[in-house]
Amino acid sequence: KSFGGERWKLNVLLTSMLCPGIVFGVFFVLNLVLWSKGSSGAISFGILVALLALWFGISVPLTFVGAFFGFRKRPIEHPVRTNQI
């Protein structure tokens, strides 16, 4: 909002999906390797589905709600004038 951005919905979508998606993807691939080796440290498929449900049911909507209320507020006024140097 301070920089005058107009595509806040795309920004929120990428914020809520991209970073956690990469982390979950790497975690899932590593867990697949553990499953294939028969390790007892592998996490069950039900727990992975529960993590996805928490992500899409709690984290993503709360990110959109926070961005909506943040976008409705007026921009922050900087206390001093910036110098060109």
Side-chain angles (χ1 to χ4, degrees), residues 2-80:
S2 295
F3 296 125
E6 297 175 2
R7 295 173 39 169
W8 66 274
K9 292 179 185 176
L10 177 65
N11 187 12
V12 173
L13 185 68
L14 289 176
T15 300
S16 64
M17 297 286 186
L18 188 65
C19 183
I22 291 171
V23 170
F24 184 80
V26 168
F27 179 74
F28 185 74
V29 168
L30 291 175
N31 199 39
L32 281 177
V33 171
L34 289 175
W35 275 342
S36 68
K37 298 294 182 183
S39 174
S40 63
I43 295 176
S44 68
F45 185 73
I47 292 180
L48 289 177
V49 170
L51 283 175
L52 279 174
L54 287 173
W55 178 21
F56 287 111
I58 295 175
S59 180
V60 172
L62 285 178
T63 304
F64 272 97
V65 168
F68 175 74
F69 284 120
F71 191 74
R72 285 184 35 195
K73 289 191 164 275
R74 60 185 175 90
I76 298 172
E77 296 179 16
H78 302 291
V80 295

